[in-house]
Coordinates of all heavy atoms in Angstrom, one line a residue:
M1 N 17.0 -19.5 17.6 CA 15.6 -19.6 17.1 C 15.1 -21.0 17.5 O 15.7 -22.0 17.2 CB 15.6 -19.4 15.6 CG 14.2 -19.3 15.0 SD 14.1 -19.0 13.2 CE 15.0 -17.5 12.9
T2 N 13.9 -21.0 18.1 CA 13.3 -22.3 18.4 C 12.7 -22.9 17.2 O 12.5 -22.3 16.2 CB 12.2 -22.1 19.4 OG1 11.1 -21.3 18.8 CG2 12.7 -21.3 20.7
P3 N 12.5 -24.2 17.2 CA 11.9 -24.9 16.0 C 10.5 -24.3 15.6 O 10.2 -24.2 14.5 CB 11.8 -26.4 16.5 CG 12.8 -26.5 17.5 CD 12.9 -25.2 18.2
S4 N 9.7 -24.0 16.6 CA 8.4 -23.4 16.3 C 8.5 -22.0 15.7 O 7.8 -21.7 14.7 CB 7.5 -23.4 17.5 OG 8.0 -22.6 18.5
A5 N 9.5 -21.2 16.2 CA 9.7 -19.9 15.6 C 10.2 -20.0 14.2 O 9.9 -19.3 13.3 CB 10.7 -19.1 16.4
M6 N 11.1 -21.0 13.9 CA 11.6 -21.2 12.6 C 10.5 -21.7 11.6 O 10.5 -21.2 10.5 CB 12.7 -22.3 12.6 CG 13.3 -22.5 11.3 SD 15.0 -23.2 11.5 CE 15.5 -23.3 9.8
L7 N 9.6 -22.5 12.1 CA 8.5 -22.9 11.2 C 7.6 -21.8 10.9 O 7.2 -21.6 9.7 CB 7.7 -24.0 11.9 CG 6.5 -24.6 11.2 CD1 7.0 -25.3 9.9 CD2 5.8 -25.6 12.0
V8 N 7.2 -20.9 11.9 CA 6.4 -19.8 11.7 C 7.1 -18.8 10.7 O 6.4 -18.3 9.8 CB 6.0 -19.1 13.0 CG1 5.4 -17.7 12.8 CG2 5.1 -20.0 13.8
T9 N 8.4 -18.6 10.9 CA 9.1 -17.6 10.1 C 9.2 -18.2 8.6 O 8.9 -17.4 7.7 CB 10.5 -17.4 10.6 OG1 10.4 -16.9 11.9 CG2 11.3 -16.5 9.7
A10 N 9.4 -19.5 8.5 CA 9.4 -20.1 7.1 C 8.1 -20.0 6.4 O 8.0 -19.6 5.2 CB 9.9 -21.5 7.2
L11 N 7.0 -20.2 7.2 CA 5.7 -20.1 6.6 C 5.4 -18.6 6.2 O 4.8 -18.4 5.1 CB 4.6 -20.6 7.6 CG 4.6 -22.1 7.8 CD1 3.7 -22.5 8.9 CD2 4.2 -22.8 6.5
L12 N 5.8 -17.7 7.0 CA 5.6 -16.3 6.7 C 6.4 -15.9 5.5 O 5.9 -15.2 4.6 CB 5.9 -15.4 7.9 CG 4.9 -15.3 9.0 CD1 5.5 -14.6 10.2 CD2 3.6 -14.7 8.5
L13 N 7.6 -16.4 5.4 CA 8.4 -16.0 4.2 C 7.8 -16.7 2.9 O 7.8 -16.0 1.9 CB 9.9 -16.5 4.4 CG 10.7 -15.7 5.4 CD1 12.0 -16.4 5.8 CD2 10.9 -14.3 4.9
G14 N 7.3 -17.9 3.0 CA 6.6 -18.5 1.9 C 5.4 -17.7 1.5 O 5.1 -17.5 0.3
G15 N 4.6 -17.3 2.5 CA 3.5 -16.4 2.2 C 3.9 -15.1 1.6 O 3.2 -14.6 0.7
F16 N 5.0 -14.5 2.0 CA 5.5 -13.3 1.4 C 5.8 -13.5 -0.1 O 5.3 -12.6 -0.9 CB 6.8 -12.9 2.2 CG 7.4 -11.6 1.8 CD1 6.9 -10.4 2.3 CD2 8.5 -11.5 0.9 CE1 7.4 -9.2 2.0 CE2 9.0 -10.3 0.6 CZ 8.5 -9.1 1.1
V17 N 6.5 -14.5 -0.4 CA 6.8 -14.8 -1.8 C 5.5 -15.1 -2.6 O 5.3 -14.6 -3.8 CB 7.8 -16.0 -2.0 CG1 8.0 -16.4 -3.4 CG2 9.1 -15.6 -1.3
A18 N 4.6 -15.8 -2.1 CA 3.3 -16.2 -2.8 C 2.5 -14.9 -3.0 O 1.9 -14.7 -4.1 CB 2.5 -17.2 -2.0
A19 N 2.4 -14.0 -2.0 CA 1.7 -12.8 -2.1 C 2.3 -11.9 -3.2 O 1.6 -11.2 -4.0 CB 1.6 -12.1 -0.8
A20 N 3.6 -11.8 -3.2 CA 4.3 -11.0 -4.2 C 4.0 -11.6 -5.6 O 3.7 -10.8 -6.6 CB 5.8 -11.0 -4.0
G21 N 4.0 -12.9 -5.8 CA 3.7 -13.5 -7.1 C 2.3 -13.3 -7.5 O 2.0 -13.0 -8.6
A22 N 1.4 -13.4 -6.5 CA 0.0 -13.1 -6.8 C -0.3 -11.7 -7.3 O -1.0 -11.4 -8.2 CB -0.9 -13.5 -5.6
Y23 N 0.4 -10.8 -6.6 CA 0.3 -9.4 -7.0 C 0.7 -9.1 -8.4 O 0.0 -8.5 -9.2 CB 1.0 -8.5 -6.0 CG 1.2 -7.1 -6.5 CD1 0.2 -6.3 -6.8 CD2 2.5 -6.5 -6.7 CE1 0.3 -5.0 -7.3 CE2 2.7 -5.2 -7.1 CZ 1.6 -4.5 -7.5 OH 1.8 -3.2 -7.9
G24 N 1.9 -9.7 -8.8 CA 2.4 -9.5 -10.1 C 1.5 -10.1 -11.2 O 1.2 -9.6 -12.2
L25 N 1.1 -11.3 -10.9 CA 0.2 -12.1 -11.8 C -1.1 -11.4 -12.0 O -1.6 -11.2 -13.1 CB 0.0 -13.5 -11.3 CG -0.9 -14.4 -12.2 CD1 -0.2 -14.7 -13.5 CD2 -1.2 -15.7 -11.4
L26 N -1.8 -11.0 -10.9 CA -3.1 -10.3 -11.0 C -3.0 -8.9 -11.6 O -3.8 -8.5 -12.4 CB -3.7 -10.2 -9.6 CG -4.2 -11.6 -9.1 CD1 -4.6 -11.5 -7.6 CD2 -5.4 -12.1 -9.9
Y27 N -1.9 -8.2 -11.4 CA -1.7 -6.9 -12.0 C -1.6 -7.0 -13.5 O -2.2 -6.3 -14.2 CB -0.4 -6.2 -11.4 CG -0.1 -4.9 -12.0 CD1 -0.6 -3.8 -11.5 CD2 0.6 -4.8 -13.2 CE1 -0.4 -2.5 -12.0 CE2 0.9 -3.5 -13.8 CZ 0.4 -2.4 -13.2 OH 0.6 -1.2 -13.8
C28 N -0.8 -8.0 -14.0 CA -0.6 -8.2 -15.4 C -1.9 -8.7 -16.0 O -2.3 -8.2 -17.1 CB 0.5 -9.1 -15.7 SG 2.1 -8.4 -15.3
A29 N -2.6 -9.6 -15.4 CA -3.9 -10.1 -15.9 C -4.9 -9.0 -16.0 O -5.7 -8.9 -17.0 CB -4.4 -11.2 -15.0
A30 N -4.9 -8.1 -15.0 CA -5.8 -6.9 -15.0 C -5.5 -6.0 -16.2 O -6.4 -5.4 -16.8 CB -5.8 -6.2 -13.7
R31 N -4.2 -5.8 -16.5 CA -3.8 -4.9 -17.6 C -4.2 -5.5 -18.9 O -4.6 -4.8 -19.8 CB -2.3 -4.7 -17.5 CG -1.8 -3.8 -16.4 CD -2.3 -2.4 -16.4 NE -2.0 -1.7 -17.6 CZ -1.1 -0.7 -17.8 NH1 -0.4 -0.4 -16.7 NH2 -0.9 -0.1 -18.9
I32 N -4.1 -6.8 -19.0 CA -4.4 -7.5 -20.3 C -6.0 -7.4 -20.5 O -6.4 -7.1 -21.6 CB -3.9 -8.9 -20.3 CG1 -2.4 -9.0 -20.4 CG2 -4.6 -9.7 -21.5 CD1 -1.8 -10.3 -20.1
S33 N -6.7 -7.8 -19.5 CA -8.2 -7.9 -19.6 C -8.9 -6.6 -19.2 O -10.1 -6.5 -19.5 CB -8.7 -9.0 -18.7 OG -8.6 -8.7 -17.4
E34 N -8.3 -5.7 -18.6 CA -8.9 -4.4 -18.1 C -10.1 -4.7 -17.2 O -11.0 -4.0 -17.1 CB -9.3 -3.5 -19.2 CG -8.1 -3.1 -20.0 CD -8.5 -2.1 -21.2 OE1 -9.6 -1.7 -21.3 OE2 -7.6 -1.9 -22.0
H35 N -10.0 -5.8 -16.4 CA -11.0 -6.2 -15.5 C -10.7 -5.6 -14.1 O -9.6 -5.9 -13.5 CB -11.1 -7.7 -15.4 CG -12.4 -8.2 -14.9 ND1 -12.6 -8.2 -13.5 CD2 -13.5 -8.8 -15.5 CE1 -13.8 -8.7 -13.3 NE2 -14.4 -9.1 -14.5
K36 N -11.6 -4.9 -13.6 CA -11.4 -4.2 -12.3 C -11.3 -5.1 -11.1 O -10.5 -4.8 -10.2 CB -12.5 -3.2 -12.0 CG -12.5 -2.0 -13.0 CD -13.5 -1.0 -12.7 CE -13.5 0.1 -13.8 NZ -14.4 1.2 -13.6
M37 N -11.9 -6.3 -11.2 CA -11.8 -7.2 -10.0 C -10.4 -7.8 -10.0 O -9.9 -8.1 -8.9 CB -12.9 -8.3 -10.2 CG -14.3 -7.8 -9.9 SD -14.5 -7.1 -8.3 CE -14.4 -8.6 -7.3
L38 N -9.8 -8.0 -11.1 CA -8.4 -8.5 -11.1 C -7.5 -7.5 -10.6 O -6.6 -7.9 -9.8 CB -8.0 -8.9 -12.5 CG -8.6 -10.2 -13.1 CD1 -8.2 -10.3 -14.6 CD2 -8.2 -11.4 -12.3
R39 N -7.7 -6.3 -10.9 CA -6.8 -5.2 -10.4 C -7.0 -5.1 -8.9 O -6.0 -5.0 -8.1 CB -7.1 -3.9 -11.0 CG -6.2 -2.8 -10.6 CD -6.4 -1.5 -11.4 NE -6.1 -1.8 -12.8 CZ -5.3 -1.0 -13.5 NH1 -4.7 0.0 -12.9 NH2 -5.0 -1.3 -14.7
A40 N -8.3 -5.2 -8.4 CA -8.5 -5.1 -7.0 C -7.9 -6.3 -6.3 O -7.3 -6.2 -5.2 CB -10.0 -5.1 -6.7
G41 N -7.9 -7.5 -6.9 CA -7.3 -8.7 -6.3 C -5.8 -8.5 -6.2 O -5.2 -8.9 -5.3
G42 N -5.2 -7.8 -7.2 CA -3.8 -7.6 -7.2 C -3.4 -6.7 -6.0 O -2.4 -6.9 -5.3
Y43 N -4.2 -5.6 -5.9 CA -3.9 -4.7 -4.8 C -4.2 -5.3 -3.4 O -3.5 -5.0 -2.4 CB -4.6 -3.4 -4.9 CG -4.0 -2.6 -6.1 CD1 -4.8 -2.1 -7.1 CD2 -2.6 -2.3 -6.1 CE1 -4.2 -1.4 -8.2 CE2 -2.1 -1.6 -7.2 CZ -2.9 -1.1 -8.2 OH -2.3 -0.4 -9.2
L44 N -5.2 -6.2 -3.3 CA -5.4 -6.9 -2.1 C -4.2 -7.9 -1.8 O -3.8 -8.1 -0.6 CB -6.7 -7.7 -2.1 CG -8.0 -6.9 -1.9 CD1 -9.2 -7.8 -2.2 CD2 -8.0 -6.3 -0.5
S45 N -3.7 -8.5 -2.8 CA -2.5 -9.3 -2.7 C -1.3 -8.5 -2.1 O -0.6 -9.0 -1.3 CB -2.1 -10.0 -4.0 OG -3.1 -10.9 -4.4
Y46 N -1.2 -7.3 -2.7 CA -0.1 -6.4 -2.2 C -0.3 -6.0 -0.7 O 0.6 -6.0 0.1 CB 0.1 -5.2 -3.1 CG 1.2 -4.4 -2.6 CD1 2.5 -4.8 -2.8 CD2 1.1 -3.2 -1.9 CE1 3.6 -4.1 -2.4 CE2 2.1 -2.5 -1.4 CZ 3.4 -2.9 -1.7 OH 4.5 -2.2 -1.2
A47 N -1.6 -5.8 -0.4 CA -1.9 -5.5 1.0 C -1.6 -6.7 1.9 O -1.0 -6.5 3.0 CB -3.4 -5.1 1.2
G48 N -1.8 -7.9 1.5 CA -1.5 -9.1 2.2 C 0.0 -9.2 2.4 O 0.6 -9.5 3.4
L49 N 0.7 -8.8 1.3 CA 2.2 -8.8 1.3 C 2.7 -7.8 2.4 O 3.6 -8.2 3.2 CB 2.7 -8.4 -0.1 CG 4.2 -8.2 -0.2 CD1 4.9 -9.6 -0.3 CD2 4.6 -7.4 -1.4
C50 N 2.1 -6.7 2.5 CA 2.5 -5.7 3.5 C 2.2 -6.2 4.9 O 3.0 -6.0 5.8 CB 1.8 -4.4 3.2 SG 2.3 -3.5 1.7
L51 N 1.1 -6.9 5.1 CA 0.8 -7.4 6.4 C 1.8 -8.5 6.8 O 2.2 -8.6 8.0 CB -0.7 -8.0 6.4 CG -1.8 -6.9 6.4 CD1 -3.1 -7.6 6.3 CD2 -1.7 -6.0 7.6
I52 N 2.1 -9.4 5.8 CA 3.1 -10.4 6.1 C 4.4 -9.8 6.4 O 5.1 -10.3 7.3 CB 3.1 -11.4 5.0 CG1 1.8 -12.2 4.8 CG2 4.3 -12.4 5.1 CD1 1.7 -13.0 3.6
A53 N 4.8 -8.8 5.7 CA 6.1 -8.1 5.9 C 6.1 -7.5 7.3 O 7.1 -7.6 8.0 CB 6.4 -7.1 4.9
F54 N 5.0 -6.9 7.7 CA 4.9 -6.4 9.1 C 5.1 -7.5 10.1 O 5.8 -7.3 11.1 CB 3.6 -5.6 9.3 CG 3.4 -5.2 10.7 CD1 4.1 -4.1 11.2 CD2 2.6 -5.9 11.5 CE1 3.9 -3.6 12.5 CE2 2.4 -5.5 12.9 CZ 3.1 -4.3 13.3
A55 N 4.4 -8.6 9.9 CA 4.5 -9.7 10.9 C 6.0 -10.2 10.9 O 6.5 -10.5 12.0 CB 3.6 -10.8 10.5
L56 N 6.6 -10.3 9.8 CA 8.0 -10.8 9.8 C 8.9 -9.8 10.5 O 9.8 -10.2 11.3 CB 8.5 -10.9 8.3 CG 8.0 -12.2 7.6 CD1 8.2 -12.1 6.1 CD2 8.8 -13.4 8.1
V57 N 8.7 -8.5 10.3 CA 9.6 -7.5 11.0 C 9.3 -7.4 12.5 O 10.2 -7.3 13.3 CB 9.4 -6.2 10.3 CG1 10.1 -5.1 11.1 CG2 10.0 -6.2 8.9
A58 N 8.0 -7.5 12.8 CA 7.6 -7.2 14.2 C 7.7 -8.5 15.1 O 8.0 -8.3 16.3 CB 6.2 -6.6 14.3
F59 N 7.4 -9.6 14.6 CA 7.2 -10.8 15.5 C 8.1 -12.0 15.3 O 8.0 -13.0 16.0 CB 5.8 -11.3 15.3 CG 4.7 -10.2 15.6 CD1 3.9 -9.8 14.6 CD2 4.7 -9.6 16.8 CE1 2.9 -8.8 14.8 CE2 3.7 -8.6 17.0 CZ 2.8 -8.2 16.0
T60 N 9.1 -11.9 14.4 CA 10.0 -13.0 14.2 C 11.4 -12.7 14.7 O 11.7 -11.5 14.8 CB 10.1 -13.4 12.7 OG1 10.7 -12.3 11.9 CG2 8.7 -13.8 12.1
P61 N 12.1 -13.7 15.0 CA 13.5 -13.5 15.6 C 14.5 -13.3 14.5 O 15.7 -13.6 14.7 CB 13.7 -14.8 16.4 CG 13.0 -15.8 15.7 CD 11.7 -15.1 15.2
L62 N 14.1 -12.9 13.3 CA 15.1 -12.7 12.2 C 16.1 -11.6 12.6 O 15.8 -10.6 13.4 CB 14.4 -12.2 10.9 CG 13.6 -13.3 10.2 CD1 12.9 -12.6 9.0 CD2 14.5 -14.4 9.7
N63 N 17.3 -11.6 12.1 CA 18.3 -10.6 12.3 C 17.9 -9.3 11.7 O 17.1 -9.3 10.8 CB 19.6 -11.1 11.7 CG 20.8 -10.2 12.2 OD1 20.7 -9.2 12.7 ND2 22.0 -10.8 11.9
V64 N 18.3 -8.2 12.3 CA 17.9 -6.9 11.8 C 18.2 -6.7 10.3 O 17.3 -6.1 9.6 CB 18.7 -5.8 12.6 CG1 18.4 -4.4 12.0 CG2 18.3 -5.8 14.0
G65 N 19.3 -7.2 9.8 CA 19.6 -7.1 8.4 C 18.5 -7.7 7.5 O 18.1 -7.2 6.5
W66 N 18.0 -8.9 7.9 CA 17.0 -9.6 7.2 C 15.7 -8.8 7.3 O 14.9 -8.8 6.3 CB 16.8 -11.0 7.7 CG 18.0 -11.9 7.3 CD1 18.9 -12.4 8.2 CD2 18.3 -12.4 6.0 NE1 19.8 -13.1 7.5 CE2 19.5 -13.1 6.2 CE3 17.7 -12.2 4.8 CZ2 20.1 -13.7 5.1 CZ3 18.3 -12.8 3.7 CH2 19.5 -13.6 3.8
K67 N 15.4 -8.3 8.4 CA 14.2 -7.5 8.6 C 14.2 -6.3 7.7 O 13.2 -5.9 7.1 CB 14.0 -7.1 10.0 CG 13.6 -8.3 10.9 CD 13.4 -7.9 12.4 CE 13.0 -9.1 13.2 NZ 12.6 -8.8 14.5
V68 N 15.3 -5.6 7.6 CA 15.4 -4.5 6.7 C 15.2 -4.9 5.2 O 14.6 -4.3 4.4 CB 16.8 -3.8 6.8 CG1 17.1 -2.8 5.7 CG2 16.9 -3.1 8.2
L69 N 15.8 -6.1 4.9 CA 15.6 -6.6 3.5 C 14.2 -6.9 3.2 O 13.7 -6.6 2.1 CB 16.5 -7.9 3.3 CG 16.4 -8.5 1.9 CD1 16.9 -7.6 0.9 CD2 17.1 -9.9 2.0
V70 N 13.4 -7.5 4.2 CA 12.0 -7.8 4.0 C 11.2 -6.5 3.8 O 10.4 -6.4 2.9 CB 11.5 -8.6 5.2 CG1 10.0 -8.6 5.2 CG2 12.0 -10.0 5.1
A71 N 11.5 -5.5 4.6 CA 10.8 -4.2 4.5 C 11.1 -3.5 3.2 O 10.2 -3.0 2.6 CB 11.1 -3.3 5.7
A72 N 12.3 -3.5 2.8 CA 12.7 -2.8 1.5 C 12.1 -3.6 0.4 O 11.6 -3.0 -0.6 CB 14.2 -2.8 1.4
S73 N 12.1 -4.9 0.4 CA 11.5 -5.7 -0.7 C 10.0 -5.4 -0.8 O 9.5 -5.3 -1.9 CB 11.7 -7.2 -0.4 OG 13.1 -7.5 -0.4
C74 N 9.4 -5.3 0.3 CA 7.9 -5.0 0.3 C 7.7 -3.7 -0.4 O 6.8 -3.6 -1.2 CB 7.4 -4.9 1.7 SG 5.6 -4.7 1.8
A75 N 8.5 -2.7 -0.1 CA 8.3 -1.4 -0.8 C 8.6 -1.4 -2.3 O 7.9 -0.9 -3.1 CB 9.2 -0.3 -0.1
V76 N 9.7 -2.2 -2.6 CA 10.1 -2.3 -4.0 C 9.1 -3.1 -4.9 O 8.8 -2.8 -6.0 CB 11.5 -2.8 -4.1 CG1 11.9 -3.2 -5.6 CG2 12.5 -1.8 -3.6
Y77 N 8.5 -4.1 -4.3 CA 7.5 -5.0 -5.0 C 6.4 -4.2 -5.6 O 5.8 -4.6 -6.6 CB 7.0 -6.1 -4.1 CG 7.9 -7.3 -4.0 CD1 8.2 -7.9 -2.8 CD2 8.4 -7.9 -5.2 CE1 8.9 -9.0 -2.7 CE2 9.2 -9.0 -5.1 CZ 9.4 -9.6 -3.9 OH 10.2 -10.7 -3.8
L78 N 6.0 -3.1 -4.9 CA 4.9 -2.3 -5.5 C 5.2 -1.8 -6.9 O 4.3 -1.7 -7.7 CB 4.5 -1.1 -4.5 CG 3.4 -0.2 -4.9 CD1 2.1 -1.0 -5.0 CD2 3.3 0.9 -4.0
M79 N 6.4 -1.4 -7.1 CA 6.8 -0.8 -8.4 C 7.2 -1.8 -9.5 O 7.2 -1.5 -10.7 CB 8.0 0.1 -8.2 CG 7.8 1.2 -7.2 SD 9.2 2.3 -6.9 CE 10.2 1.2 -6.0
I80 N 7.5 -3.1 -9.1 CA 8.0 -4.0 -10.1 C 7.0 -4.3 -11.3 O 7.4 -4.2 -12.4 CB 8.5 -5.3 -9.5 CG1 9.8 -5.0 -8.7 CG2 8.8 -6.4 -10.5 CD1 10.3 -6.2 -7.8
P81 N 5.8 -4.7 -11.0 CA 4.9 -5.0 -12.1 C 4.6 -3.8 -13.0 O 4.7 -3.9 -14.3 CB 3.6 -5.5 -11.5 CG 4.1 -6.1 -10.2 CD 5.2 -5.2 -9.7
P82 N 4.3 -2.6 -12.5 CA 4.1 -1.5 -13.4 C 5.3 -1.1 -14.3 O 5.2 -0.8 -15.5 CB 3.7 -0.3 -12.5 CG 3.3 -0.9 -11.3 CD 4.0 -2.2 -11.1
V83 N 6.5 -1.1 -13.7 CA 7.7 -0.8 -14.4 C 8.0 -1.9 -15.5 O 8.3 -1.6 -16.6 CB 8.9 -0.7 -13.4 CG1 10.2 -0.6 -14.2 CG2 8.8 0.6 -12.6
T84 N 7.8 -3.1 -15.1 CA 8.0 -4.2 -16.1 C 7.0 -4.1 -17.2 O 7.4 -4.3 -18.4 CB 7.9 -5.6 -15.4 OG1 8.9 -5.6 -14.3 CG2 8.2 -6.7 -16.3
W85 N 5.8 -3.8 -16.9 CA 4.7 -3.7 -17.9 C 5.1 -2.6 -18.9 O 5.0 -2.7 -20.1 CB 3.4 -3.4 -17.2 CG 2.3 -3.3 -18.3 CD1 1.8 -2.3 -18.9 CD2 1.5 -4.5 -18.7 NE1 0.8 -2.6 -19.8 CE2 0.6 -4.0 -19.7 CE3 1.5 -5.8 -18.4 CZ2 -0.3 -4.8 -20.4 CZ3 0.7 -6.6 -19.1 CH2 -0.2 -6.1 -20.1
R86 N 5.5 -1.4 -18.4 CA 5.9 -0.3 -19.3 C 7.1 -0.7 -20.1 O 7.1 -0.3 -21.3 CB 6.2 1.0 -18.4 CG 5.0 1.7 -18.0 CD 5.3 3.1 -17.4 NE 6.2 3.0 -16.3 CZ 5.8 2.9 -15.0 NH1 4.5 2.9 -14.8 NH2 6.6 2.9 -14.0
Y87 N 8.0 -1.3 -19.6 CA 9.2 -1.7 -20.4 C 8.8 -2.7 -21.5 O 9.2 -2.5 -22.6 CB 10.3 -2.4 -19.4 CG 11.4 -3.0 -20.2 CD1 12.3 -2.2 -20.8 CD2 11.5 -4.4 -20.4 CE1 13.4 -2.8 -21.6 CE2 12.5 -5.0 -21.1 CZ 13.5 -4.1 -21.7 OH 14.5 -4.7 -22.4
L88 N 8.0 -3.7 -21.2 CA 7.6 -4.7 -22.2 C 6.7 -4.0 -23.3 O 6.8 -4.3 -24.4 CB 6.9 -5.8 -21.6 CG 7.7 -6.8 -20.7 CD1 6.9 -7.8 -20.0 CD2 8.8 -7.5 -21.6
A89 N 5.8 -3.1 -22.9 CA 5.0 -2.4 -23.8 C 5.9 -1.5 -24.8 O 5.7 -1.5 -26.0 CB 4.0 -1.5 -23.1
R90 N 6.9 -0.9 -24.2 CA 7.8 -0.1 -25.1 C 8.6 -1.0 -26.0 O 8.8 -0.7 -27.2 CB 8.7 0.8 -24.2 CG 9.6 1.7 -25.0 CD 10.3 2.7 -24.1 NE 10.9 2.1 -22.9 CZ 12.2 1.7 -22.8 NH1 13.0 1.9 -23.7 NH2 12.6 1.2 -21.6
L91 N 9.1 -2.1 -25.5 CA 9.9 -3.0 -26.2 C 9.1 -3.5 -27.4 O 9.5 -3.6 -28.6 CB 10.3 -4.2 -25.4 CG 11.2 -5.2 -26.0 CD1 12.6 -4.6 -26.3 CD2 11.4 -6.4 -25.0
H92 N 7.8 -3.9 -27.2 CA 7.0 -4.4 -28.3 C 6.5 -3.3 -29.2 O 6.3 -3.6 -30.4 CB 5.8 -5.2 -27.7 CG 6.2 -6.5 -27.1 ND1 6.6 -7.6 -27.8 CD2 6.3 -6.8 -25.8 CE1 6.9 -8.5 -27.0 NE2 6.8 -8.1 -25.8
R93 N 6.4 -2.1 -28.8 CA 6.1 -1.0 -29.7 C 7.2 -0.8 -30.6 O 7.0 -0.6 -31.8 CB 5.8 0.3 -28.9 CG 4.4 0.8 -28.9 CD 4.3 2.2 -28.3 NE 5.2 2.6 -27.3 CZ 5.0 2.4 -26.0 NH1 3.9 1.9 -25.5 NH2 5.9 2.9 -25.1
E94 N 8.4 -0.9 -30.1 CA 9.6 -0.7 -31.0 C 9.7 -1.8 -32.0 O 10.2 -1.6 -33.1 CB 10.9 -0.6 -30.1 CG 11.0 0.7 -29.3 CD 12.1 0.7 -28.4 OE1 12.9 -0.3 -28.3 OE2 12.2 1.7 -27.6
E95 N 9.3 -3.0 -31.7 CA 9.3 -4.1 -32.6 C 8.4 -3.9 -33.7 O 8.7 -4.3 -34.9 CB 9.0 -5.5 -31.9 CG 10.1 -6.1 -31.1 CD 9.7 -7.4 -30.5 OE1 8.5 -7.9 -30.7 OE2 10.5 -8.0 -29.8
R96 N 7.2 -3.3 -33.5 CA 6.3 -3.1 -34.5 C 6.7 -2.0 -35.5 O 6.4 -2.0 -36.7 CB 4.9 -2.7 -33.9 CG 4.1 -3.8 -33.4 CD 2.8 -3.4 -33.0 NE 2.5 -3.9 -31.6 CZ 2.0 -3.2 -30.7 NH1 1.5 -2.0 -30.8 NH2 1.8 -3.8 -29.5
I97 N 7.5 -1.1 -35.0 CA 8.0 0.0 -35.9 C 9.0 -0.5 -36.9 O 9.1 -0.1 -38.0 CB 8.7 1.1 -35.0 CG1 7.5 1.8 -34.2 CG2 9.4 2.1 -35.9 CD1 8.1 2.8 -33.2
R98 N 9.8 -1.5 -36.5 CA 10.9 -2.0 -37.4 C 10.4 -2.7 -38.6 O 9.6 -3.2 -39.0 CB 11.8 -3.0 -36.6 CG 12.6 -2.3 -35.6 CD 13.5 -3.2 -34.9 NE 14.0 -2.5 -33.7 CZ 14.7 -3.1 -32.8 NH1 15.0 -4.4 -32.9 NH2 15.1 -2.5 -31.7

């Protein structure tokens, strides 16, 4: 891997993590406030995450195993905030019952 390819790959990986974090944060903020713009921002962040994942898989010299991990992570990230939200809602519902 050349130094410039390593720099581009590192920047893309950083953007991947930032987009995933933005999606989770905006998804939860939208659920709390029920604001449609926050929800749209969350889904736009996820779309950005998918674009970055595509760039990582298609244009970087990462090993095939890492590319598979990036693609699988992108797919799984879509489910993490809703599943976590449901779990926390159920957990707090059970606390109120006790």
Side-chain angles (χ1 to χ4, degrees):
M1 184 181 304
T2 66
S4 61
M6 182 155 182
L7 182 61
V8 169
T9 303
L11 288 171
L12 284 170
L13 287 169
F16 184 81
V17 172
Y23 166 58
L25 180 67
L26 290 169
Y27 179 90
C28 292
R31 291 295 304 253
I32 290 168
S33 70
E34 297 181 9
H35 199 283
K36 291 181 182 185
M37 290 301 288
L38 288 173
R39 184 174 296 232
Y43 289 125
L44 282 173
S45 296
Y46 183 73
L49 175 79
C50 292
L51 289 173
I52 294 168
F54 173 76
L56 281 163
V57 170
F59 304 118
T60 63
L62 289 173
N63 193 344
V64 173
W66 289 109
K67 290 181 178 189
V68 169
L69 179 65
V70 166
S73 296
C74 183
V76 170
Y77 274 133
L78 181 63
M79 298 179 290
I80 291 173
V83 168
T84 303
W85 185 269
R86 281 193 298 271
Y87 172 72
L88 290 173
R90 185 170 43 100
L91 183 69
H92 289 288
R93 249 192 328 270
E94 289 173 4
E95 280 182 3
R96 282 189 229 137
I97 294 172
R98 291 182 194 172

